[in-house]
Amino acid sequence: MKTLSIDFMGQRKVAGILSIVVLLVSLGSIATKGLSFGLDFTGGALVEVEYERPADLEATRTLLVGAGFPDPVVQNFGTDTDVLIRLQQDNSATLGDEIVRTLNDAGLNVTLLRSEFVGAQVGDELRDQGGLGLLLALLVVMAYVALRFQIKFSVGAVSALAHDVIIVIGVFSLLGWDFDLTVLAAVLAVIGYSLNDTIVVSDRIRENFRTVRNGDSLSIINLSINQTLGRTLVTSLTTALVLICLLVLGGELIRGFSAALLIGVAVGTYSSIYVAANALILMNISRDDLIPKAVDDGDEMP
């Protein structure tokens, strides 16, 4: 199969500027708007009810506010007749029955499916442990790549992973989407996916630095990216197709997970080509960093 010869590194400055702008926007949104943490992190009550007919979410929200339930979040859950109601308040044994009674008194004819509660303390613990999990994952990746390849590859890989994580979280902040445990799981999955892609490209770069005798660092990195481009695109596209199906057909429960992972796959594909490779160029990667040093004859045992 003929290897492509696209000059990816010729556009590295444009890609670098694009990454910096998107990162700044993401960080700015996270710093100013924050995240819309889901019930898993904030604590509160969750009630699921089933309507006989497709639910009018706005009418349901108005009824609940009028009945004294503050700031309810009302959304469909998989079907038009299944509705989730989230309340930032302590649960009680009768909360589900009170909500059902309120809706039934208004003639909506609903049935209670479940009523759950997540304590604020549990939510804080989940949020803190999730953040530590993300940090630990990045540190482990950095150590692994440094041992498996070389410290410059380690810095490049972690830069790409941090780039992907910040952008995924930034999109959720900008759009005000709920950030819950399923989204956190997706962000951790993005780290694994993006690392796999980056390792494939890094392995080819290291191999070409050792075997290709002509050409500078830019041409060798370009060659390596072109040689792995087919594998990168096919893997990303097949993964994206599955995620699109989950996003469209998977229902409300995994919508955040699917969206976060889909964004992560797209950004991770880009970062494995431009961010990790750009970092290597900035650190002046060369053959001297990768070719094993020859053993000095004077060091050999007699």
Side-chain angles (χ1 to χ4, degrees):
M1 183 178 176
K2 184 179 178 181
T3 301
L4 298 172
S5 58
I6 302 172
D7 184 16
F8 287 103
M9 290 297 95
Q11 303 300 320
R12 68 186 187 283
K13 293 182 180 176
V14 176
I17 293 172
L18 176 64
S19 289
I20 290 172
V21 170
V22 176
L23 282 173
L24 288 176
V25 171
S26 298
L27 289 171
S29 178
I30 294 169
T32 56
K33 290 183 62 179
L35 288 169
S36 176
F37 286 114
L39 202 63
D40 299 329
F41 295 122
T42 60
L46 182 149
V47 177
E48 182 181 356
V49 296
E50 184 179 33
Y51 283 66
E52 278 193 347
R53 296 177 180 176
D56 184 339
L57 300 182
E58 190 55 41
T60 301
R61 191 176 297 111
T62 303
L63 273 172
L64 292 175
V65 171
F69 298 100
D71 301 323
V73 177
V74 182
Q75 59 188 155
N76 285 119
F77 187 68
T79 66
D80 291 341
T81 57
D82 204 350
V83 172
L84 270 183
I85 300 167
R86 301 168 188 262
L87 298 164
Q88 304 289 334
Q89 67 178 64
D90 290 340
N91 197 13
S92 67
T94 59
L95 179 62
D97 293 330
E98 291 173 15
I99 288 178
V100 168
R101 191 182 310 116
T102 300
L103 298 178
N104 282 334
D105 288 347
L108 296 179
N109 200 10
V110 302
T111 305
L112 177 65
L113 297 182
R114 59 173 166 144
S115 176
E116 299 174 353
F117 173 68
V118 177
Q121 187 173 358
V122 176
D124 289 344
E125 185 178 341
L126 289 172
R127 185 179 55 200
D128 295 342
Q129 294 296 325
L132 288 175
L134 280 175
L135 186 60
L136 181 62
L138 291 176
L139 291 176
V140 170
V141 166
M142 190 167 187
Y144 167 73
V145 178
L147 291 173
R148 180 73 175 79
F149 291 88
Q150 202 258 359
I151 188 66
K152 291 181 180 178
F153 283 87
S154 173
V155 174
V158 171
S159 301
L161 297 183
H163 169 275
D164 301 345
V165 168
I166 291 171
I167 289 177
V168 171
I169 296 175
V171 170
F172 272 73
S173 173
L174 275 172
L175 300 179
W177 291 347
D178 272 359
F179 192 96
D180 55 22
L181 277 180
T182 64
V183 178
L184 178 61
V187 172
L188 289 169
V190 166
I191 291 178
Y193 179 88
S194 181
L195 175 65
N196 181 53
D197 225 20
T198 303
I199 290 293
V200 170
V201 177
S202 298
D203 189 53
R204 186 56 61 93
I205 291 174
R206 180 181 62 172
E207 182 182 332
N208 284 338
F209 264 117
R210 291 176 174 174
T211 57
V212 177
R213 296 301 176 188
N214 299 318
D216 56 10
S217 298
L218 283 177
S219 63
I220 291 176
I221 290 176
N222 251 333
L223 174 65
S224 305
I225 294 174
N226 277 290
Q227 288 175 338
T228 55
L229 183 64
R231 179 260 174 209
T232 299
L233 291 180
V234 169
T235 305
S236 299
L237 286 174
T238 51
T239 307
L241 286 175
V242 173
L243 292 173
I244 290 171
C245 291
L246 284 177
L247 185 65
V248 175
L249 305 173
E252 191 67 30
L253 188 62
I254 60 171
R255 186 154 297 161
F257 174 85
S258 308
L261 205 46
L262 187 59
I263 296 166
V265 167
V267 178
T269 303
Y270 162 83
S271 70
S272 66
I273 294 174
Y274 276 113
V275 178
N278 247 343
L280 291 175
I281 295 295
L282 289 174
M283 290 182 286
N284 296 318
I285 188 77
S286 67
R287 287 188 177 84
D288 294 338
D289 296 315
L290 298 167
I291 295 178
K293 294 180 181 177
V295 178
D296 191 342
D297 292 342
D299 295 339
E300 293 182 355
M301 296 293 291

